[in-house]
Amino acid sequence: MSSEPLIFELSSPGRRAFDLPALDVPEATLPGALRRGRAPELPEVSQLDLVRHFTHLSQRNMGIDTNFYPLGSCTMKYNPKVNEDVAALPGFANLHPYQSGDTVQGALEVMFELERWLAEISGMDAISLQPTAGSQGELTALFVCRAYHEKKGRRPRKVLVPDSSHGTNPASAALCGYEVETVKSDDKGHVDLEDLKARLSPDVACLMMTNPNTVGVFEKDVRAIAAMLHAVDAQLYYDGANLNAICGLARPGDMGCDMMHFNLHKTFSTPHGGGGPGAGPIGVKEHLRPFLPVPRVEKDASGYHLKEEGFPESIGRVRCFYGNFGLLLRGLVYMRALGGDGLPEVARGAVLNANYLLALLKDRFEAPYGDRCMHEFVLSASRQKRENGVSALDFAKRLLDFGYHAPTVYFPLIVPEALMVEPTETESKETLDAFAEVLRGIAREAVETPELLRQAPVNTVVGRLDEGKAARQPNLRWTPCPPPPA
Amino acid sequence: MPHPYLPLTDHDRAAMLKAIGEPAVDSLFDSIPPDLRLGRPLALPGHLSEMELAREFGRMAGANRPVSSLESYLGAGAYEHYAPSVVRHVLGRSEFYTSYTPYQPELTQGMLQAIWEYQSMVCLLTGMDVSNASLYEGGHALAESCLMACAATGRKKVVLAEGLHPEYRQVVKTYAGPQGIQVVEVPQAASGAADLKALEAHLDQDCAALAFMNPNFFGCLESGADLAGLAHSKGALLVACVEPVSLGLLAPPGDFGADIACGEGQPLGIPLSFGGPWVGFIACRQALVRRMPGRIAGITDDNRGQRAFVLTLQTREQHIRREKATSNICTNQTLLALAATVTLSALGPVGLQEVATQCLSKAHYLAGLVSRVPGVELPHAAPFFCEFTLRLPVESAGVCRAMRGQGILAGVELSRFDKARPRDLLVCATETKTRAQLDRYAEVLARAIKEAA
Amino acid sequence: MGVPADLRYTKSHEWARLEGGKVVVGITDFAVAAIKEIVFLELPPLGRAVEAAKPFGVIESVKAVFDLKAPVSGKVAEVNAKMAEDFEALARDPFVQGWLVKLEAPGADLSGLMDAAAYEKFCAEEHH
């Protein structure tokens, strides 16, 4: 497929893709000083040109609907179509956030019900649906944590994160004004309890933990960790990125976790949208409830209400309005489709698929954390790097040639040449078999014809990119030709 | 229980367990200590078939009265515009909406190019040099802008004109507090525009940013040039929070000297959807690009000599710089940025100007009508775009209720934000309203006021 | 490339040299090799006070960031701004043409830093 021109390159003055009814009131004008001198140089294209352009762009893109996407830590499961249909209903899509309560009872019911579902799934006591994405959920919970300590007159300065943690954990902690300290993992991938103990003090505000963690291992000592933290009044944060592994079978709230976020765009099937939107609701235990953001959804005999006032200890708002409602809605549709009976089957399927895939691949790669995993696993291409001079990146790029999205590479940071694979429960055995056969074939190529990996991909619309040039000479926008001199 | 989303059959499971070497699926969970397992079914209703889902959610949707079934004059940061049909169709391409962040550029050139085109359009619209790939929403974009200004200047104070949406200001305060950044809010002048004298009194050498909204929360237009002069005289950056449709007519932030422009992209073809998902935009001068939060797409070459798109300047971001990143943002709002891109492509420069002109004209026509209703005042003298404040002779609550009975959402009651404004109504008219509807609004309003008085 | 004997070295791979009353600072060829492809260099403004072992600038590859740490405390007296635009020149000759800053550091004592032999040994160990 040849490259697609920029929409600006398709532009021809005088064309348009949309028209308006004639203005039926007198035309008003603005004071001259406030007016724009020159119209923005937006593209001028016909409607068909526009449709073809964006259709071509879509054809130069890969989604779950087109290909297997075993991207570790991202939970790229099927995004059910009925979710999209429901979200597009005018009764949901065309609601203004400031409509009076009596005209939005259905929307408030969705929010109230979703809170109830998330609370039961997580074992948490209170939920806020406001955060827009997982990282904003983290930040919101840390704001809550900070408010909790401050109310007790305490100002702990540190947040602990395991060395296997996602980069948003330390970034969120820093944004919340905390110093970040890294806790080591032991050789099985668990949080190193001795190292944790050595770092604990009243100066620790919380530990941010993912469970199962990013190497796909369940932190079996989570209760002991919670007790150690609570002994210094530090909080245990549960990063819900990997909730898919245990949903309906074990609950963060029962493990001693005090607060957590959910990624509806991972666990609960809302589409990733090419990088968003997501939704990152948080859950907290009772002692943190007073600090949750406003507004909150409540129900009484007269119906559902959004309440702004009466929460003097609330951290306030982390965004306008009520969260990514359209995604909250899709998440609830998914939960209702699976039901209380189906959600544990999701976790079982996710863990079975991951272990099966690991079993098919473990003789070809180093598997630093053994032959069992939860919903995802980490392989290392260290041996191939050493012996054949091919890296995890080369494996990733070669997979693209066979129509697979690559696994997550070089994460977690503690595994050299990491390939992190998460198949999810929505993939069939046949898909896993085919993928494993291809990856095993690539492992063979790595020994016999390593150049094929280093040159890959060759079957994609573009080959490997010069990322250095992109960073050294940033070209981040289209620049119109200067207007001709008057 | 076979489920449409779960493909494994009993036969599959048996074969897979054999390959793994485990007797049962549940033994794969042995690493979870027994006392940490739930040990009971979830206390939640059972699964629903697709038909049952459609029925149940159809019922809930039916319990709402969407603006499409009424005549809505609500604005206050959420605007009803007509979205060109092409927007929905492009967004419905599941190659876009079911894809992940484009970390493998060879597979995701389409979305990367769309992001680059989005960045270009944000720059053209705002007159700024560089845009990122999107932020969560307008309030978040303002908060990130303020943090960016603090990082760039090494100062820890921001001054917010109270013409900024109250919820936007609340978001700034939530983000600023834990970092020890002081937030000063300065009331507007009686005209409804920013109070330059009062702002000047609060600006000093510690101030990182002066932030304002245009059109402001009350609908009034601000003088960006005056505000830029004020901010720059103290070495502070000017943060302009702007509404994109109005930029079809209004001078862009880049022209009046803003250092950072930000705002909410919802008016560009994105459904109201009860407040989200929408898209925050942020753009800045070239000198600030390394302080920019979030993702940025750039152009480079591939190893075949072709033009290619890739996420770039990634060392700013959390997955590399961790606690030293410019922000913690990871997932953003790419799909909505695509919606804005398609809308701006569909409108083009002429269409955008026409939409803006229709908004301006309809709002002014309506303001003219309602200002002749006995007892009704327009309290602000400053010029406005598509939204204006109305002061009623009686409390707004009863009037709004009565008009709702006539199928009209009369406006956003300012008492919601300020108890001291029980009679003030924020009224917005966009291109979606016809002259007949505007005429009816004025009649119904007059009647409702008469009945309330 | 050999490690010049007349320079002193830090564990974070900067070198330092006394020149008149100033301390000239750069990065070593070991650091250049580790970064692979330099895409960005941020140097401090003139007059900025820097503290020993604390960052005074940043050097980046596509996917990694490295702080430049000051070998001694002092005040930035000169900046080799050309290097922030010509990364190839920096990579070619990090020890002479590629100096980065000169610090005003009266009475600076470099004896606490590694000499060439100690630094070479340090790099050999770090490499394994």
Side-chain angles (χ1 to χ4, degrees):
Chain A
M1 205 183 304
S2 64
S3 75
E4 175 64 16
L6 300 171
I7 186 121
F8 302 99
E9 293 166 347
L10 297 170
S11 178
S12 184
R15 292 205 183 119
R16 62 189 305 162
F18 178 71
D19 58 359
L20 284 160
L23 184 61
D24 58 358
V25 298
E27 183 171 333
T29 49
L30 283 169
L34 300 176
R35 263 196 307 240
R36 181 168 197 129
R38 200 151 47 91
E41 295 88 341
L42 295 170
E44 296 178 72
V45 293
S46 73
Q47 200 169 95
L48 178 57
D49 286 345
L50 180 150
V51 168
R52 282 214 183 117
H53 173 70
F54 288 103
T55 303
H56 288 165
L57 291 188
S58 78
Q59 289 168 331
R60 294 164 71 79
N61 219 54
M62 176 188 274
I64 300 169
D65 277 7
T66 59
N67 299 75
F68 179 38
Y69 229 105
L71 194 61
S73 101
C74 299
T75 316
M76 298 298 283
K77 62 171 72 180
Y78 171 59
N79 307 144
K81 299 298 162 196
V82 67
N83 298 359
E84 303 304 310
D85 292 347
V86 168
L89 291 172
F92 290 125
N94 299 335
L95 289 184
H96 189 286
Y98 290 146
Q99 285 186 231
S100 59
D102 59 317
T103 63
V104 293
Q105 284 296 296
L108 298 180
E109 183 181 350
V110 167
M111 294 169 71
F112 187 85
E113 276 300 300
L114 179 60
E115 287 192 7
R116 200 168 70 88
W117 278 68
L118 291 175
E120 169 63 10
I121 288 165
S122 64
M124 291 290 172
D125 297 316
I127 304 289
S128 169
L129 302 176
Q130 196 174 110
T132 311
S135 54
Q136 201 181 35
E138 288 176 15
L139 182 63
T140 308
L142 289 170
F143 287 147
V144 166
C145 173
R146 200 180 172 93
Y148 164 79
H149 288 302
E150 275 175 5
K151 188 181 174 210
K152 290 183 152 190
R154 299 184 60 238
R155 286 229 154 184
R157 287 175 305 170
K158 285 188 220 167
V159 164
L160 304 181
V161 299
D163 54 11
S164 62
S165 71
H166 193 269
T168 54
N169 290 175
S172 299
L175 198 49
C176 191
Y178 287 114
E179 291 167 28
V180 179
E181 218 171 275
T182 304
V183 183
K184 282 194 212 122
S185 301
D186 66 19
D187 56 4
K188 298 220 165 51
H190 297 117
V191 169
D192 185 325
L193 294 186
E194 286 306 310
D195 191 49
L196 173 61
K197 196 185 287 172
R199 293 177 191 283
L200 279 179
S201 77
D203 210 18
V204 173
C206 93
L207 167 70
M208 302 180 82
M209 188 189 217
T210 309
N211 197 13
N213 62 28
T214 59
V215 299
V217 171
F218 190 84
E219 298 277 5
K220 59 185 172 27
D221 297 317
V222 54
R223 265 211 190 131
I225 290 170
M228 287 163 72
L229 288 161
H230 293 157
V232 292
D233 202 14
Q235 304 292 292
L236 179 54
Y237 181 83
Y238 179 90
D239 180 326
N242 292 346
L243 187 64
N244 210 44
I246 59 169
C247 187
L249 297 172
R251 310 191 305 171
D254 300 336
M255 298 174 194
C257 302
D258 302 289
M259 50 192 187
M260 69 172 293
H261 80 263
F262 304 83
N263 295 97
L264 297 192
H265 47 294
K266 294 182 179 178
T267 318
F268 300 111
S269 86
T270 72
H272 283 72
I282 61 168
V284 298
K285 283 304 185 76
E286 199 55 52
H287 63 287
L288 299 175
R289 184 196 294 264
F291 310 104
L292 285 178
V294 287
R296 303 188 197 166
V297 195
E298 295 189 348
K299 183 186 181 184
D300 64 22
S302 69
Y304 299 94
H305 308 277
L306 270 176
K307 273 189 73 178
E308 299 261 355
E309 281 162 20
F311 308 105
E313 289 168 338
S314 165
I315 59 155
R317 287 174 174 279
V318 294
R319 57 160 292 156
C320 299
F321 313 116
Y322 323 123
N324 269 350
F325 175 78
L327 282 300
L328 302 174
L329 174 60
R330 286 173 175 86
L332 185 64
V333 177
Y334 172 81
M335 288 180 203
R336 302 274 346 236
L338 269 308
D341 52 337
L343 288 171
E345 293 308 317
V346 166
R348 288 193 180 99
V351 171
L352 177 58
N353 272 356
N355 277 281
Y356 178 63
L357 200 48
L358 175 58
L360 298 182
L361 295 171
K362 67 186 178 197
D363 64 325
R364 293 282 172 174
F365 296 89
E366 288 175 30
Y369 300 107
D371 59 0
R372 290 293 182 275
C373 62
M374 296 300 287
H375 66 302
E376 68 188 353
F377 56 91
V378 181
L379 300 173
S380 169
S382 287
R383 191 177 62 227
Q384 288 87 345
K385 172 97 178 169
R386 211 167 44 241
E387 295 175 2
N388 313 111
V390 296
S391 62
L393 184 74
D394 298 326
F395 275 95
K397 296 302 181 195
R398 185 62 176 148
L399 269 170
L400 312 185
D401 274 335
F402 293 91
Y404 292 102
H405 196 279
T408 299
V409 287
Y410 301 106
F411 181 81
L413 305 177
I414 55 173
V415 178
E417 300 299 322
L419 288 157
M420 186 190 207
V421 182
E422 181 181 9
T424 85
E425 75 285 358
T426 58
E427 298 298 336
S428 67
K429 176 172 175 294
E430 289 83 346
T431 300
L432 305 182
D433 287 337
F435 173 75
E437 198 178 309
V438 164
L439 191 48
R440 292 173 64 85
I442 296 174
R444 218 163 25 244
E445 287 179 349
V447 178
E448 294 164 3
T449 49
E451 265 320 289
L452 285 180
L453 277 72
R454 287 194 285 263
Q455 285 161 2
V458 294
N459 298 334
T460 47
V461 294
V462 296
R464 276 199 213 189
L465 308 185
D466 185 349
E467 297 195 38
K469 181 185 172 191
R472 273 194 319 273
Q473 303 158 19
N475 175 354
L476 312 176
R477 56 167 293 188
W478 183 74
T479 305
C481 301
Chain B
M1 172 203 78
H3 188 281
Y5 308 160
L6 303 174
L8 299 184
T9 63
D10 288 344
H11 182 75
D12 292 333
R13 269 188 280 268
M16 293 164 82
L17 285 168
K18 196 169 160 217
I20 299 165
E22 287 285 349
V25 174
D26 281 342
S27 51
L28 293 170
F29 291 85
D30 283 351
S31 65
I32 306 181
D35 61 326
L36 292 184
R37 298 189 206 173
L38 183 55
R40 62 165 174 84
L42 289 169
L44 294 168
H47 65 279
L48 297 180
S49 67
E50 188 169 309
M51 228 186 287
E52 290 165 306
L53 287 173
R55 201 178 294 145
E56 173 66 358
F57 284 90
R59 174 189 68 74
M60 285 191 252
N64 299 321
R65 295 184 70 197
V67 295
S68 47
S69 71
L70 300 162
E71 284 167 35
S72 168
Y73 295 83
L74 306 180
Y79 299 100
E80 187 190 9
H81 289 283
Y82 186 86
S85 177
V86 289
V87 179
R88 186 169 57 82
H89 288 277
V90 170
L91 257 64
R93 299 284 305 190
S94 64
E95 297 91 334
F96 284 136
Y97 81 77
T98 71
S99 71
Y100 194 71
T101 302
Y103 285 138
Q104 294 291 340
E106 298 89 342
L107 295 184
T108 47
Q109 283 298 298
M111 193 56 112
L112 284 162
Q113 182 171 339
I115 292 170
W116 192 90
E117 291 177 357
Y118 162 83
Q119 290 170 185
S120 301
M121 291 186 200
V122 169
C123 291
L124 293 170
L125 214 49
T126 57
M128 306 301 288
D129 298 327
V130 194
S131 159
N132 82 352
S134 75
L135 293 172
Y136 300 138
E137 47 91 38
H140 175 246
L142 177 66
E144 291 276 9
S145 300
C146 291
L147 296 184
M148 193 172 150
C150 289
T153 57
R155 300 176 177 186
K156 293 213 138 191
K157 176 177 162 186
V158 295
V159 173
L160 309 182
E162 281 191 1
L164 278 155
H165 193 299
E167 294 193 9
Y168 283 52
R169 284 185 275 129
Q170 287 174 15
V171 177
V172 173
K173 284 187 271 187
T174 307
Y175 269 77
Q179 294 205 20
I181 295 167
Q182 190 194 349
V183 180
V184 181
E185 295 167 277
V186 180
Q188 298 293 103
S191 68
D195 186 336
L196 297 179
K197 284 252 155 49
L199 287 169
E200 188 168 18
H202 285 96
L203 280 166
D204 56 29
Q205 307 295 335
D206 299 329
C207 188
L210 166 61
F212 75 105
M213 191 172 229
N214 198 41
N216 73 29
F217 177 68
F218 305 102
C220 302
L221 297 174
E222 303 282 8
S223 167
D226 289 341
L227 293 162
L230 263 187
H232 294 158
S233 72
K234 294 295 193 300
L237 304 187
L238 183 69
V239 175
C241 188
V242 290
E243 192 283 315
V245 168
S246 70
L247 292 178
L249 286 178
L250 289 174
D255 281 12
F256 56 71
D259 301 282
I260 303 173
C262 64
E264 174 54 63
Q266 178 272 327
L268 299 174
I270 296 170
L272 288 166
S273 197
F274 207 40
W278 296 355
V279 58
F281 62 86
I282 184 168
C284 65
R285 288 190 290 106
Q286 186 65 41
L288 294 167
V289 60
R290 299 235 164 219
R291 305 281 181 190
M292 183 74 101
R295 293 180 179 129
I296 301 178
I299 287 185
T300 187
D301 307 318
D302 75 350
N303 59 7
R304 307 170 202 161
Q306 305 179 91
R307 174 167 71 188
F309 299 82
V310 67
L311 294 178
T312 191
L313 305 181
Q314 292 190 61
T315 49
R316 301 163 296 106
E317 293 184 67
Q318 49 76 28
H319 62 281
I320 292 175
R321 201 168 275 193
R322 295 174 75 87
E323 66 267 26
K324 289 182 184 157
T326 50
S327 167
N328 70 332
I329 189 167
C330 182
T331 289
N332 57 39
Q333 303 283 116
T334 308
L335 195 69
L336 293 315
L338 175 64
T341 308
V342 178
T343 301
L344 287 170
S345 305
L347 293 176
V350 177
L352 182 70
Q353 199 174 16
E354 284 175 4
V355 173
T357 301
Q358 293 223 0
C359 290
L360 177 80
S361 303
K362 300 215 168 176
H364 281 77
Y365 177 76
L366 181 62
L369 292 180
V370 295
S371 65
R372 293 195 286 274
V373 172
V376 172
E377 293 169 55
L378 300 178
H380 300 315
F384 62 92
F385 175 60
C386 72
E387 200 169 11
F388 55 92
T389 307
L390 212 55
R391 185 157 293 159
L392 306 178
V394 293
E395 291 200 351
S396 60
V399 172
C400 287
R401 203 176 312 116
M403 291 180 72
R404 211 151 59 232
Q406 300 296 309
I408 293 175
L409 300 176
V412 174
E413 295 175 60
L414 288 182
S415 59
R416 181 186 188 107
F417 307 97
D418 182 355
K419 292 274 175 288
R421 305 186 77 152
R423 294 189 288 127
D424 288 2
L425 201 56
L426 194 56
V427 180
C428 170
T430 65
E431 84 286 359
T432 59
K433 297 293 166 289
T434 62
R435 182 177 192 139
Q437 288 172 332
L438 299 171
D439 290 340
R440 189 169 96 90
Y441 180 99
E443 287 161 24
V444 175
L445 175 71
R447 212 157 50 228
I449 289 173
K450 205 188 261 171
E451 279 161 19
Chain C
M1 209 192 298
V3 171
D6 57 333
L7 307 180
R8 289 289 186 153
Y9 300 90
T10 67
K11 289 187 175 176
S12 44
H13 305 284
E14 291 87 7
W15 56 259
R17 171 167 59 85
L18 279 171
E19 182 188 275
K22 293 174 190 161
V23 177
V24 189
V25 181
I27 56 169
T28 67
D29 59 348
F30 184 90
V32 167
I35 296 168
K36 286 194 188 106
E37 185 183 2
I38 301 167
V39 301
F40 180 65
L41 173 67
E42 185 176 60
L43 295 173
L46 291 178
R48 161 91 49 96
V50 301
E51 216 178 307
K54 292 277 168 63
F56 70 84
V58 168
I59 190 162
E60 296 182 1
S61 67
V62 172
K63 300 247 163 110
V65 185
F66 307 89
D67 283 330
L68 299 168
K69 291 185 181 157
V72 296
S73 296
K75 209 164 158 189
V76 178
E78 281 181 58
V79 171
N80 191 359
K82 220 163 49 198
M83 290 305 110
E85 276 142 34
D86 189 354
F87 305 134
E88 274 171 30
L90 172 57
R92 228 172 14 245
D93 186 10
F95 290 113
V96 182
Q97 301 286 325
W99 66 273
L100 299 177
V101 293
K102 295 185 183 178
L103 301 176
E104 193 85 58
D109 178 10
L110 304 184
S111 65
L113 305 176
M114 287 180 279
D115 63 18
Y119 178 67
E120 272 186 15
K121 192 156 164 259
F122 174 76
C123 289
E125 278 162 13
E126 197 165 79
H127 208 66
H128 286 290

